[in-house]
Amino acid sequence: MKVVYSPVHARHNPPVSFSLGRFVPFKESPQRVDQILASLASFGSEFELADPVDHGMEPIKRVHTKDYIAYFQNAYEKWVKRGGNPDGVFPEYLAVRQFANGGKKSGGDLGEPGFYCFDLEGVIAEGTFVAAVAAVNVVLTAADLMVDLHQTSAFALCRPPGHHAQEDLCGGYCFFNNASIATRYLIEQKKVGKVCILDIDYHHGNGTQSIFYKESNPLYVSLHGSPDYPMYWGDVDEDGEGEGKGFNVNVPLPLGTRDPEYIHALKTVVETRISEYDPDVIVVSLGVDTFIEDTVGNFLLTSDCYTEIGNVIASLGKQTLFVMEGGYDIPAIGTNVTNVLRGFDH
Ligand code: Q9C
Ligand code: ZN
């Protein structure tokens, strides 16, 4: 399997985020990717590394607004100039948009951080923007390799993750929605036909849901813990709007979910909704924060379950682009990710 990777991810390294009223060590660390890389390397030529190719800003603009991109690009520098904490940008004023002049007034240097963000976990540190752009190039290059070289799969080993990022909002460790950008690129530039985004990160992908909510291509399917982060999204009745009605499928599962129930839920949605949709390509938002030892997620999946997840995804028999999302248990993250990828291939 082709794996696209860029060391530029390490430029994004905020020391802290905010949790339960305290600053805590930032869990979405560069170490995560280092561990996955080491695990892939232990399988020798099974995984072939490739460098990303620069795709410019155009594919990002097909998903995110111009204003949001401009804000993100300059946010850290403006913040520090203003005397902000050099650890990263933390909003102080939150724009509840119903109250904020219909969302037209972003509020200047001190208002913007809370205008373009929906929580305090989209921490913009010094290298965050360059790392987020590199992550997009990783996922787009993986899409190119899969389509152009007629591969059955490819893995975008990207960070920061993306599925919480909406068109003009960061949050939940996410800034640019890598999977969504790749999906739009696959549909518009690579002419692949129908795409299904299968989001198996522990958390609901509110960003991806919101970006495609009114569209019938892609089909968005998310299995996630509920009630849990991102708190305000992810119910079954959020099923799309207009053209998109019926093309957003949420499968909330209780905290404490174990292997058998998880596999049952995954198989069910794969054999019904996804098979009926008959996509040409699957984009997997691959989070392994469903793991039993994960300190962010609240499921109880074992490492063996990830092999089975890979098997179930492979049963669709479609070209599949794996895009890295969450997963925070450093000792097992590499094994869990490689288990999904090897489960898919075998
Ligand atoms: N303060 C992804 O997995 N809240 N994002 C966790 C700790 C944030 C997760 C509670 C979770 C964000 C990509
Ligand atoms: Zn997650």
Side-chain angles (χ1 to χ4, degrees), residues 294-338:
D294 198 279
T295 53
V296 175
N298 292 296
F299 283 173
L300 304 172
L301 304 194
T302 66
S303 289
D304 286 343
C305 188
Y306 293 100
T307 309
E308 184 61 19
I309 290 172
N311 279 320
V312 175
I313 297 171
S315 75
L316 284 160
K318 305 293 181 188
Q319 269 190 317
T320 302
L321 175 63
F322 292 93
V323 178
M324 196 63 215
E325 301 280 2
Y328 307 97
D329 183 65
I330 298 295
I333 188 173
T335 302
N336 294 343
V337 169
T338 48

Side-chain angles (χ1 to χ4, degrees), residues 163-164 201-203 289 326-328:
H163 75 150
H164 296 304
D201 185 278
Y202 171 77
H203 304 96
D289 39 8
Y328 307 97

Side-chain angles (χ1 to χ4, degrees), residues 8-334:
V8 177
H9 78 84
R11 294 279 310 276
H12 173 56
N13 192 16
V16 292
S17 67
F18 203 59
S19 181
L20 291 170
R22 295 175 192 94
F23 283 107
V24 298
F26 191 71
K27 291 197 171 153
E28 200 284 283
S29 67
Q31 248 192 308
R32 299 174 56 246
V33 161
D34 299 341
Q35 290 287 119
I36 296 167
L37 211 51
S39 190
L40 295 168
S42 73
F43 292 101
S45 60
E46 226 177 283
F47 298 102
E48 289 171 78
L49 279 190
D51 294 325
V53 173
D54 183 13
H55 284 66
M57 293 305 287
E58 209 41 50
I60 299 178
K61 292 185 186 153
R62 298 293 303 135
V63 165
H64 295 284
T65 66
K66 234 172 75 213
D67 290 356
Y68 171 71
I69 298 168
Y71 158 71
F72 179 26
Q73 181 154 22
N74 302 310
Y76 182 77
E77 204 186 307
K78 274 194 184 177
W79 172 256
V80 170
K81 264 198 196 131
R82 190 95 204 192
N85 179 354
D87 284 352
V89 178
F90 290 90
E92 187 168 335
Y93 309 101
L94 300 176
V96 176
R97 293 198 189 191
Q98 297 97 301
F99 297 170
N101 194 19
K104 288 199 277 290
K105 198 176 175 200
S106 61
D109 290 359
L110 288 179
E112 283 176 340
F115 185 80
Y116 290 113
C117 161
F118 64 88
D119 65 18
L120 300 189
E121 297 189 298
V123 186
I124 302 173
E126 190 175 10
T128 303
F129 182 79
V130 287
V133 170
V136 170
N137 286 321
V138 164
V139 71
L140 294 176
T141 304
D144 286 338
L145 292 177
M146 183 178 80
V147 173
D148 300 348
L149 304 180
H150 309 285
Q151 304 285 298
T152 54
S153 63
F155 176 40
L157 180 45
C158 51
R159 103 165 255 284
H163 75 150
H164 296 304
Q166 301 189 186
E167 66 165 352
D168 59 356
L169 291 166
C170 60
Y173 313 148
C174 300
F175 306 90
F176 287 145
N177 195 313
N178 305 312
S180 294
I181 294 166
T183 296
R184 191 147 274 164
Y185 177 79
L186 283 164
I187 294 168
E188 292 180 351
Q189 301 299 315
K190 310 302 276 188
K191 311 287 179 207
V192 300
K194 283 187 289 180
V195 176
C196 168
I197 302 177
L198 173 58
D199 190 333
I200 59 169
D201 185 278
Y202 171 77
H203 304 96
H204 175 251
N206 58 290
T208 311
Q209 165 170 307
S210 135
I211 286 161
F212 296 115
Y213 207 60
K214 295 180 177 164
E215 292 172 45
S216 57
N217 184 21
L219 171 71
Y220 177 66
V221 176
S222 173
L223 280 79
H224 50 269
S226 175
D228 208 328
Y229 185 89
M231 312 300 180
Y232 314 114
W233 294 272
D235 282 355
V236 173
D237 66 354
E238 296 159 28
D239 63 349
E241 229 177 85
E243 294 272 299
K245 190 79 179 165
F247 297 96
N248 193 88
V249 179
N250 283 327
V251 184
L253 298 167
L255 310 206
T257 291
R258 292 179 184 274
D259 298 0
E261 303 93 75
Y262 190 88
I263 291 297
H264 176 76
L266 179 64
K267 269 193 180 151
T268 303
V269 78
V270 159
E271 287 166 9
T272 58
R273 300 301 302 273
I274 300 180
S275 295
E276 286 156 20
Y277 186 72
D278 194 26
D280 299 284
V281 168
I282 313 284
V283 172
V284 177
S285 263
L286 174 56
V288 293
D289 39 8
T290 44
F291 184 53
I292 185 163
E293 300 292 345
D294 198 279
T295 53
V296 175
N298 292 296
F299 283 173
L300 304 172
L301 304 194
T302 66
S303 289
D304 286 343
C305 188
Y306 293 100
T307 309
E308 184 61 19
I309 290 172
N311 279 320
V312 175
I313 297 171
S315 75
L316 284 160
K318 305 293 181 188
Q319 269 190 317
T320 302
L321 175 63
F322 292 93
V323 178
M324 196 63 215
E325 301 280 2
Y328 307 97
D329 183 65
I330 298 295
I333 188 173

